[in-house]
């Protein structure tokens, strides 16, 4: 197991330990109030882990506490790993960001674009602009998610078996073929919409590299970084009890009763074994210690103790706002579920980033970049303060509690230098 031990006194890197304790009290209150099953949080600065805390249970009903080596379904925190994988291939000259993806995934060459009508009788038109690699990395491809329930194309995804999962037995190649026959929500490059773009990017990595996505991750990312407990679902021999139970929010009753939660085993059981579909957008389970290694790779500009996965320049390019005219997600995107607030937040090649802290409305730094998962996991890197933060729990959906905003305000208020 990956060790997760504090290695430096917070004061040595500019944190006030008493103020950091406010973070624990706020998070523990959600556990004590029955709104959060359990959590684990990490805070590091200048590459030193200065704070690790946890409370509650990884399995409430079984009385199993959160432990430092607990495995978590990180869902969309898989996306930054897939984006790094793609950019590793980009650095090798395997493709240009402007290349049409149909060069490797020909099924997307003739994908139509929704114009009007219903899910049963859509009116479509041809692509004016092809889906390019950069559109997958920036979620401007026109692909969507079935669980949005915001557009007729979303309903078409659900009708095809794509909501919170994919049809049984379908692998990455088959899933992409199914998506390619459903219309795009808009012309590629014209808007931002959170969807299966990174899953398609994962398939692109497979085709370009000649390796299944799990093997590419293992050989090129996990093994070099020492991420020994990260995989697509549990592996043979893994202890099922090491994986936290998945919970779903149960809305409070009228009159102010708080939101509660209940086990969601029907969805949670999918992570008990390696799936047929290796979802580059949401398929990994990991530990806090493993993911910290990945986040520290980002903070260090692509380097790790044994070498380098990406150039510092590439990480810098990925974490700039790539939305046209430096717009934020609220302006260029659609008002629907995403793993981040939309005001004052831009999007790069695999990450969101704060482009206007005042408009964002949270104590944060310009250029702070991040992403999170559907079950309320989250991380961010603050390059101004040289801080990384990771948060782990298993509560669907991620919008249930304002965890991500609280992480920033309570970590930043504890900085004392």
């Amino acid at each position: 197991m990956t060790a997760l031990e504090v290695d430096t006194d917070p004061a040595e890197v500019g944190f006030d330990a008493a103020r950091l304790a406010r973070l624990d009290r706020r998070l523990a209150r959600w556990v004590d109030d029955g709104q959060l099953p359990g959590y684990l949080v990490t805070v590091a600065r200048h590459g030193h882990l200065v704070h690790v805390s946890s409370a509650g249970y990884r399995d409430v009903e079984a009385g199993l506490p959160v432990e430092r080596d607990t495995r978590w379904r990180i869902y969309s925190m898989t996306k930054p790993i897939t984006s790094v994988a793609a950019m590793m291939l980009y650095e090798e000259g395997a493709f240009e960001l402007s290349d049409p993806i149909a060069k490797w995934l020909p099924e997307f060459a003739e994908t139509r674009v929704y114009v009007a009508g219903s899910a049963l009788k859509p009116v479509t038109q041809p692509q004016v602009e092809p889906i390019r690699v950069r559109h997958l990395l920036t979620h401007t491809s026109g692909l969507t998610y079935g669980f949005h329930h915001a557009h007729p194309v979303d309903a078409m995804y659900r009708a095809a078996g794509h909501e919170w999962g994919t049809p049984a037995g379908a692998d990455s190649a088959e899933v992409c073929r199914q998506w390619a026959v459903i219309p795009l929500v808009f012309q590629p490059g014209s808007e931002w919409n959170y969807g299966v773009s990174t899953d398609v990017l994962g398939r692109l990595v497979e085709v370009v590299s000649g390796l299944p996505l799990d093997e590419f991750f293992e050989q090129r990312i996990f093994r070099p970084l020492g991420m020994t407990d990260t995989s697509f679902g549990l592996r043979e021999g893994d202890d099922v009890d090491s994986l936290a139970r998945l919970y779903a929010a149960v809305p409070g009753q009228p009159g102010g009763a708080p939101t509660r939660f209940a086990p969601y085993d029907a969805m949670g059981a999918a992570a008990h074994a390696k799936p047929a579909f290796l979802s580059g957008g949401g398929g990994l389970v990991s530990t806090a210690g493993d993911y910290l290694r990945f986040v520290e790779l980002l903070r260090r500009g692509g380097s790790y103790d044994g070498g380098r996965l990406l150039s510092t320049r590439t990480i810098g390019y990925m974490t700039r706002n790539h939305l046209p005219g430096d717009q934020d997600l609220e302006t260029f995107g659609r008002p629907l579920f995403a793993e981040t607030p939309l005001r004052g937040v831009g999007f790069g090649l695999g990450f969101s980033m704060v482009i206007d802290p005042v408009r964002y409305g949270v104590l944060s730094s310009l250029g702070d970049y991040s992403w999170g998962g559907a079950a309320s996991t989250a991380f961010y890197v603050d390059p101004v303060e040289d801080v990384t933060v990771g948060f782990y729990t298993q509560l669907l959906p991620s919008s249930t509690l304002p965890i991500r905003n609280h992480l920033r305000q309570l970590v930043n208020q504890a900085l004392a230098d």
Side-chain angles (χ1 to χ4, degrees):
M1 296 292 180
T2 302
L4 192 64
E5 301 295 336
V6 169
D7 60 32
T8 300
D9 186 293
E12 292 184 19
V13 292
F15 272 110
D16 183 320
R19 281 178 164 265
L20 267 179
R22 294 175 175 178
L23 174 64
D24 298 343
R25 289 196 294 273
R26 169 63 272 188
L27 296 173
R29 198 180 315 151
W30 278 318
V31 174
D32 294 342
D33 289 347
Q35 295 181 274
L36 195 64
Y39 74 86
L40 189 150
V41 65
T42 65
V43 181
R45 195 179 198 200
H46 307 321
H48 295 286
L49 186 60
V50 298
H51 188 77
V52 181
S53 69
S54 61
Y57 297 91
R58 67 182 192 272
D59 186 328
V60 174
E61 290 72 23
L64 300 175
V66 170
E67 296 176 340
R68 295 194 176 185
D69 59 0
T70 293
R71 284 185 173 91
W72 311 90
R73 298 164 192 80
I74 61 171
Y75 287 122
S76 288
M77 279 167 58
T78 305
K79 287 181 170 70
I81 297 176
T82 303
S83 300
V84 163
M87 294 305 288
M88 290 171 70
L89 294 172
Y90 169 77
E91 285 193 335
E92 295 169 6
F95 54 77
E96 295 185 73
L97 296 177
S98 59
D99 282 339
I101 66 170
K103 184 175 180 180
W104 299 275
L105 305 177
E107 59 267 32
F108 286 100
E110 303 298 331
T111 299
R112 305 281 294 183
V113 180
Y114 174 92
V115 177
S118 68
L120 296 177
K121 292 184 177 181
V123 178
T124 66
Q125 65 182 21
Q127 297 175 30
V128 175
E129 167 83 352
I131 302 175
R132 303 183 187 276
V133 177
R134 68 168 180 265
H135 296 143
L136 297 180
L137 282 156
T138 57
H139 288 282
T140 58
S141 64
L143 296 161
T144 191
Y145 271 130
F147 59 69
H148 283 325
H149 292 259
H151 192 278
V153 173
D154 304 341
M156 296 170 73
Y157 273 59
R158 294 194 297 275
H162 300 271
E163 186 169 7
W164 286 103
T166 53
D171 63 8
S172 302
E174 175 58 27
V175 165
C176 283
R177 284 192 290 267
Q178 293 177 15
W179 289 329
V181 300
I182 302 173
L184 302 175
V185 176
F186 48 72
Q187 290 287 347
S190 65
E191 296 184 46
W192 185 91
N193 185 67
Y194 194 41
V196 299
S197 291
T198 316
D199 290 298
V200 177
L201 186 68
R203 177 58 185 159
L204 184 69
V205 169
E206 292 185 326
V207 174
V208 171
S209 70
L211 292 172
L213 196 58
D214 59 340
E215 292 185 23
F216 188 95
F217 281 179
E218 180 63 28
Q219 294 178 24
R220 301 290 304 274
I221 299 175
F222 298 160
R223 195 176 300 159
L225 294 182
M227 295 173 65
T228 58
D229 297 316
T230 304
S231 57
F232 283 100
L234 295 178
R235 300 159 298 197
E236 187 175 350
D238 284 343
D239 181 5
V240 174
D241 286 341
S242 71
L243 179 66
R245 194 171 192 176
L246 184 63
Y247 293 89
V250 178
Q253 300 300 311
T259 298
R260 301 294 177 178
F261 57 82
Y264 195 9
D265 295 336
M267 182 173 170
H272 289 178
K274 179 180 172 180
F277 170 46
L278 303 178
S279 169
L284 291 175
V285 299
S286 189
T287 62
D290 265 19
Y291 207 82
L292 178 62
R293 291 174 181 267
F294 176 73
V295 174
E296 282 294 310
L297 171 86
L298 302 176
R299 183 195 65 83
R300 292 172 58 165
S303 71
Y304 63 100
D305 291 341
R308 178 172 292 279
L309 295 188
L310 283 176
S311 162
T312 302
R313 274 69 173 177
T314 300
I315 294 289
Y317 189 66
M318 294 173 72
T319 55
R320 293 176 184 167
N321 184 21
H322 284 247
L323 301 184
D326 203 33
Q327 296 178 77
D328 66 7
L329 291 174
E330 184 173 71
T331 304
F332 193 68
R334 289 176 170 241
L336 41 72
F337 171 87
E339 306 297 356
T340 181
L342 304 180
R343 294 186 309 276
V345 176
F347 202 86
L349 303 181
F351 311 92
S352 65
M353 68 286 305
V354 178
I355 60 173
D356 186 339
V358 174
R359 183 165 164 77
Y360 180 35
V362 178
L363 181 60
S364 56
S365 296
L366 183 67
D368 152 341
Y369 61 92
S370 63
W371 205 242
S376 301
T377 59
F379 83 91
Y380 74 86
V381 178
D382 184 332
V384 175
E385 301 294 351
D386 203 27
V387 165
T388 67
V389 175
F391 179 82
Y392 303 88
T393 189
Q394 297 285 256
L395 180 65
L396 290 166
S398 62
S399 57
T400 304
L401 297 169
I403 292 166
R404 291 160 191 177
N405 289 349
H406 278 78
L407 287 175
R408 284 177 172 82
Q409 70 193 60
L410 290 168
V411 168
N412 284 324
Q413 64 81 35
L415 287 166
D417 64 358

